[in-house]
Amino acid sequence: MECLWKCVVLALCCVPFAAPQEAVSTACSVDLVAVRVLLDYSRPALPLDLSGLLLGTCPPSSSSAGNNMVVFQYGLLDCRFMRMVTANVTSYMNVLTYKPTQRGFYQTPFNQAIVYTYTKPAGWTPPVYNPALGDASGFGKLEFTMGIMNDDFSAPRTSSLFFLGSPINIAAAVKQQFHMPLMVYMEECVAASTPELSPSSQTYPLITNHGCFVDGQAGNSRFLPRVQTSEIRLVVQAFKFTQLNTDVYIHCHLLAWDPAQLNDPTKKACSFNQRTRR
């Protein structure tokens, strides 16, 4: 029985630049994907840096100097593809990234989302090749990270000093190991005058009520569009405690959740809209 596959290239709305649609072409099958990228699409500007291209975590699998083209050909279980499953559709998602590593090449980084959608035919049921009876169980480790990032979120910021009112870029992520794709949320965040929370700490709430950015009512703090489900980005407007000459420490409660089960109203990332006051 034949299955319908559709390959889609989507430009991410959260980055300032994406490669032209004609520069990237895709083809996919039941278990393989091929992405082709023209290295000289920006003619007459400089060509793309081959070593700066990644599909998820995978480097190019081959290149053709004669055709000025690089090819990524991998299985859909490679390169940290994310998978979302509904009753009739299975989607595989990844990001093609370009970060030049050397001079003499095109120097503008870009991200481009790659989405592969598989529609199950009517009446389709998964084949059972080796039926057996018994129990199965499994477990894995989740590792959460959070840090202050530079202006384009490409690397950790080297300094933790900020002018009052300037933006602080923060990224939090979960390393999924052998788990299915997960959506990460910030349940609660509080700024405190101490590196460890205690009754004597002076505090200021940033995020409350399972992911609502209350600090955005007074400042320009807000969540940013997602690049991938396993990471969440936000910007906080720098401030200080008025009666204390101390550093400010941000403490957050992170949550990882199944992206296919988002009907729970407590799973959200909400920013305050200054225009509508909502």
Side-chain angles (χ1 to χ4, degrees):
M1 181 178 294
E2 294 185 354
C3 301
L4 175 64
W5 279 81
K6 179 173 65 174
C7 300
V8 184
V9 182
L10 300 175
L12 296 180
C13 61
C14 58
V15 292
F17 176 80
Q21 294 290 332
E22 62 271 16
V24 180
S25 60
T26 61
C28 51
S29 63
V30 174
D31 56 359
L32 289 175
V33 59
V35 178
R36 297 174 176 85
V37 184
L38 293 177
L39 295 178
D40 62 349
Y41 78 92
S42 56
R43 194 183 300 124
L46 296 173
L48 297 182
D49 178 6
L50 177 63
S51 60
L53 281 167
L54 285 175
L55 178 62
T57 57
C58 293
S61 53
S62 64
S63 62
S64 173
N67 295 328
N68 291 314
M69 180 179 294
V70 62
V71 177
F72 299 85
Q73 184 164 321
Y74 290 98
L76 290 171
L77 298 180
D78 301 325
C79 309
R80 291 194 177 177
F81 271 90
M82 295 178 290
R83 184 180 68 173
M84 295 187 68
V85 181
T86 65
N88 299 316
V89 174
T90 298
S91 296
Y92 292 88
M93 296 158 285
N94 215 326
V95 179
L96 176 70
T97 60
Y98 176 66
K99 295 180 182 178
T101 62
Q102 51 190 325
R103 296 189 179 277
F105 292 91
Y106 192 75
Q107 290 297 302
T108 303
F110 63 80
N111 292 345
Q112 193 139 318
I114 309 294
V115 181
Y116 310 94
T117 300
Y118 166 53
T119 303
K120 303 171 187 175
W124 180 88
T125 58
V128 178
Y129 297 106
N130 188 19
L133 298 176
D135 296 322
S137 63
F139 68 93
K141 179 183 178 182
L142 294 181
E143 180 181 345
F144 291 91
T145 60
M146 188 171 76
I148 299 174
M149 308 299 290
N150 60 13
D151 291 342
D152 62 359
F153 286 86
S154 61
R157 195 173 189 269
T158 56
S159 173
S160 59
L161 297 178
F162 294 88
F163 291 105
L164 289 177
S166 62
I168 303 174
N169 294 326
I170 299 174
V174 58
K175 295 182 179 178
Q176 299 168 155
Q177 305 295 335
F178 300 106
H179 281 270
M180 60 177 286
L182 295 171
M183 182 86 78
V184 68
Y185 291 97
M186 282 188 170
E187 287 253 291
E188 314 284 339
C189 278
V190 61
S193 58
T194 57
E196 299 291 337
L197 289 176
S198 68
S200 62
S201 303
Q202 185 170 349
T203 61
Y204 174 74
L206 298 173
I207 299 172
T208 63
N209 190 29
H210 304 288
C212 289
F213 222 136
V214 295
D215 182 57
Q217 299 182 41
N220 197 28
S221 301
R222 64 196 184 279
F223 287 108
L224 299 177
R226 289 183 185 265
V227 175
Q228 52 188 349
T229 61
S230 59
E231 181 185 60
I232 191 167
R233 296 177 176 181
L234 60 152
V235 58
V236 177
Q237 196 166 0
F239 70 96
K240 63 174 293 185
F241 292 108
T242 55
Q243 298 179 350
L244 293 176
N245 185 18
T246 181
D247 293 335
V248 175
Y249 301 88
I250 296 178
H251 304 261
C252 294
H253 178 201
L254 302 179
L255 171 72
W257 198 255
D258 181 358
Q261 302 292 330
L262 297 182
N263 54 348
D264 188 335
T266 66
K267 306 301 179 291
K268 58 183 181 290
C270 299
S271 300
F272 187 79
N273 189 317
Q274 293 280 359
R275 183 178 60 83
T276 62
R277 305 301 299 172
R278 297 181 62 184

